[in-house]
Amino acid sequence: MIQVYPAESRYAMDLGWLRSRPSFSFGAYYDPDNTSFGVMRVCNDDVVAAGRGFGPHPHSDMEIVTIVLSGAIKHEDNLGNVAVTSAGQIQRMTAGSGMIHAEYNASETEELELLQLWFMPSERGLAPSYETSSYDPKRMNNTLLPVVSRQGSDRAAAIHQDMTIYLSRLEKDRQIIFQQEEGRRVFLFVIEGRLTVDGTPLEPRDTARIEALSKMTIAADEEAFFMLIDLP
């Protein structure tokens, strides 16, 4: 089953310094029928104004992944971590037993565009931790490049959950066949371009939640940049 959520159907929030389109209930937006997808709890499509951001605030028992699409984000936390993450890099935070952090647009002149993703961890009360990883954008051309996975690697952040986040840039008229074990889920986000998944069309910024489909064909109707998450 492929359930498409068109970009224009998502809740839109504009605070002046922050423009956000959450895929799930978040903050002022609450829909009791749209709170999660498997272990996935948040997918926020955010644009943050130059020099602005989120002041110190707490988290616990959540795996938080930030994918920077353009610009750079500055992170600070009570563990002493201070880091700047740019496009081509991934930020992963394990809130675990409790963590306080702040995030800001690192630029005073340019907007920051990002996807922020939250997932329930495989167990509660983990030791809080933070990491930034880098990937080579050329390695995602016409393939699925893992940028976050349970085991991690020198090019992928490690996450405390049985899941993998892939990025791909697919040329027009090219296709990828994705297979997974029975009973798992796929969350797909079209960042740029247009795709079809087993004949189902997806426009820019559309998302799809896919269940009971262990094999699927992803084809580019035009050059497309997308994220695919393999979930339990």
Side-chain angles (χ1 to χ4, degrees), residues 133-134 152-156:
S133 61
S134 300
S153 72
D154 59 344
R155 294 176 180 265

Side-chain angles (χ1 to χ4, degrees), residues 14 31 47 51 85 89 101 131 135 140 147 151 171 179 184 215:
D14 190 342
D31 178 350
V47 178
T85 306
Q89 295 183 303
H101 79 136
E131 72 171 309
Y135 63 92
M140 66 180 174
V147 294
Q151 64 274 16
E171 294 175 357
Q179 292 182 270
R184 293 183 66 84
K215 182 178 179 180

